[in-house]
Amino acid sequence: MGTVVEVLIFALARGLIVIKENVWEMAITIVAIAVLLACRKFLFLEEDLKKVTKDK
């Protein structure tokens, strides 16, 4: 599950750089990245994060 969240964060961040959007779409993308980062920080157990880091 952690890998999926990381891929979503990467895809959204790449979209911010590559695609020229209006201000509202950019703000929504930034909020979505913040939500994904918060989920990764607060909702995953430490064992899950250690497994993801160990696999890399």
Side-chain angles (χ1 to χ4, degrees):
M1 185 68 168
T3 306
V4 173
V5 173
E6 289 179 8
V7 168
L8 287 173
I9 291 170
F10 177 74
L12 287 171
R14 184 177 180 275
L16 273 176
I17 296 169
V18 174
I19 301 171
K20 303 298 181 202
E21 302 173 337
N22 63 26
V23 176
W24 291 110
E25 290 175 357
M26 228 185 258
I28 291 170
T29 304
I30 292 170
V31 169
I33 291 173
V35 167
L36 286 171
L37 288 171
C39 287
R40 192 175 98 189
K41 179 174 176 78
F42 295 113
L43 296 180
F44 288 142
L45 300 174
E46 284 190 31
E47 295 88 29
D48 295 335
L49 293 175
K50 286 179 185 175
K51 262 198 279 187
V52 169
T53 336
K54 182 181 174 185
D55 292 342
K56 290 182 180 181

